Amino acid sequence: MIKTKLTFITCITFIIAMHGQTVTCDNVYTMDIPSNMYLMDENPDAVFEIANYAADQYLMVIHESKLEFKKAINATSKTILSEYANVLADGFDESFNSKTKISDIYFNNYNAKKLEIEGQSGGISIIWHTIAVETDLYLYQICYWTTPGNTSNSDLKKLLNTAKTFKEL
């Protein structure tokens, strides 16, 4: 029975990988899985995670209640996105022992912040980008990363284009 289930899951994963698919995450948002990426389950905070292991390309989405975050840090409605981006940047700066660059962007009809950092994680050099998005109910981190050897504009652009498939329901 377990072997049958594993075979079924493998087949579904293969079908998704061959054709790409749009998936609904927690009935909150949708994302597309490109045909060259596979679902993964590494980060317990992320509902959506995909990877192309051969190309060292990864993407995940974390969402949290905007109201809970606002209460936790005592932010105002006008500053919540900036506060959220600063909290994320502080964590990245410490984790990667580097300095995060933050810029204002407009992302899928939302005001957003783009965070970019280069550093090391687990002894591996990586380039990490996060798009922090504020909607009416949620704050999102759409994170994508790769290794320095894979940072041509086309590689990062592919990950950004995948990130742009994000749609809140």
Side-chain angles (χ1 to χ4, degrees):
M1 184 65 159
I2 292 175
K3 187 175 182 179
T4 304
K5 286 181 181 178
L6 288 175
T7 302
F8 177 74
I9 291 169
T10 301
C11 289
I12 294 298
T13 302
F14 180 74
I15 290 167
I16 290 170
M18 291 299 293
H19 302 291
Q21 180 177 334
T22 300
V23 295
T24 301
C25 304
D26 276 1
N27 291 320
V28 175
Y29 61 93
T30 63
M31 288 286 299
D32 291 350
I33 302 172
S35 60
N36 67 337
M37 298 187 93
Y38 302 90
L39 288 169
M40 63 179 197
D41 187 18
E42 301 290 327
N43 186 320
D45 294 327
V47 173
F48 180 81
E49 297 175 88
I50 55 175
N52 178 333
Y53 296 107
D56 281 330
Q57 296 175 344
Y58 307 89
L59 185 142
M60 72 176 172
V61 180
I62 298 171
H63 70 278
E64 55 193 295
S65 165
K66 181 175 162 180
L67 184 59
E68 288 180 25
F69 180 80
K70 185 177 174 181
K71 286 179 184 176
I73 66 160
N74 204 20
T76 67
S77 294
K78 291 183 180 184
T79 64
I80 195 162
L81 181 59
S82 292
E83 293 290 336
Y84 189 60
N86 289 335
V87 167
L88 295 175
D90 289 346
F92 295 157
D93 291 353
E94 186 176 325
S95 293
F96 297 116
N97 196 27
S98 190
K99 183 70 177 148
T100 303
K101 176 185 166 194
I102 302 174
S103 55
D104 293 321
I105 64 169
Y106 196 65
F107 181 81
N108 291 4
N109 298 320
Y110 297 105
N111 290 322
K113 301 278 187 181
K114 185 172 184 184
L115 295 85
E116 301 174 61
I117 191 164
E118 293 184 39
Q120 294 222 342
S121 178
I124 299 171
S125 294
I126 64 170
I127 296 174
W128 184 283
H129 292 197
T130 294
I131 300 170
V133 180
E134 176 186 3
T135 66
D136 289 340
L137 297 176
Y138 294 99
L139 293 166
Y140 295 91
Q141 298 174 51
I142 303 171
C143 309
Y144 55 98
W145 65 99
T146 190
T147 56
N150 294 314
T151 59
S152 72
N153 285 336
S154 64
D155 288 338
L156 288 172
K157 191 167 191 96
K158 286 177 191 175
L159 288 166
L160 176 59
N161 286 338
T162 301
K164 287 180 179 179
T165 68
F166 165 86
K167 291 180 184 74
E168 188 176 59
L169 299 175

